[in-house]
Amino acid sequence: MAAYSVSCTECGACCAAFRVSFHRSELASATAGGVPPQMAVVEIGNTMRMCGTDESSPRCVALQGVVGEAVSCGIYAQRPSPCREFGALAQIGIYERACNRARAMHGLPALPVDD
Ligand code: SF4
Ligand code: SF4
């Protein structure tokens, strides 16, 4: 497993690269401590999407700071499940390729990847 060589708080590329979709039940209007409804739009049916993540230059509305320098999630404790899962897997070295796709979109160097 590759060593993880960058802190997510120095990166943030995935929050400005991928569409972030989740079930409506994760909204704060349905679950205490959930995603603030004003930060999401209906994607289809019961699927919501974080605002800004489906733009031609995606950037989640909750992302604060400068990608590749210093970032934070403005709703960290309320972030939806895809963010929790991606970050957790990234930190144990499983998602380097996805990280690197996101990082490449921002001109950031690739993380080491095990074959
Ligand atoms: S999970 Fe990967 S792409 Fe996302 S902030 Fe962390 S290192 Fe960057
Ligand atoms: S909710 Fe937070 S962790 Fe998820 S994409 Fe937006 S800024 Fe990133």
Side-chain angles (χ1 to χ4, degrees), residues 15 20 50 60 62-63 73 75 79-80 83:
C15 305
V20 178
M50 288 304 296
C60 178
L63 183 63
C73 172
I75 57 163
R79 68 200 190 285
C83 308

Side-chain angles (χ1 to χ4, degrees), residues 1-90:
M1 187 172 292
Y4 202 64
S5 63
V6 69
S7 162
C8 290
T9 57
E10 299 170 334
C11 176
C14 56
C15 305
F18 302 131
R19 187 188 309 160
V20 178
S21 304
F22 58 94
H23 194 268
R24 179 187 295 276
S25 62
E26 294 187 46
L27 290 174
S29 51
T31 301
V35 178
Q38 69 274 19
M39 289 190 166
V41 294
V42 175
E43 187 166 278
I44 185 169
N46 285 321
T47 302
M48 308 297 296
R49 182 175 67 237
M50 288 304 296
C51 292
T53 65
D54 197 35
E55 307 297 322
S56 55
S57 296
R59 181 182 169 108
C60 178
V61 67
L63 183 63
Q64 299 175 343
V66 178
V67 172
E69 294 184 14
V71 294
S72 62
C73 172
I75 57 163
Y76 188 75
Q78 298 167 269
R79 68 200 190 285
S81 54
C83 308
R84 296 172 187 275
E85 292 158 8
F86 190 93
L89 292 174

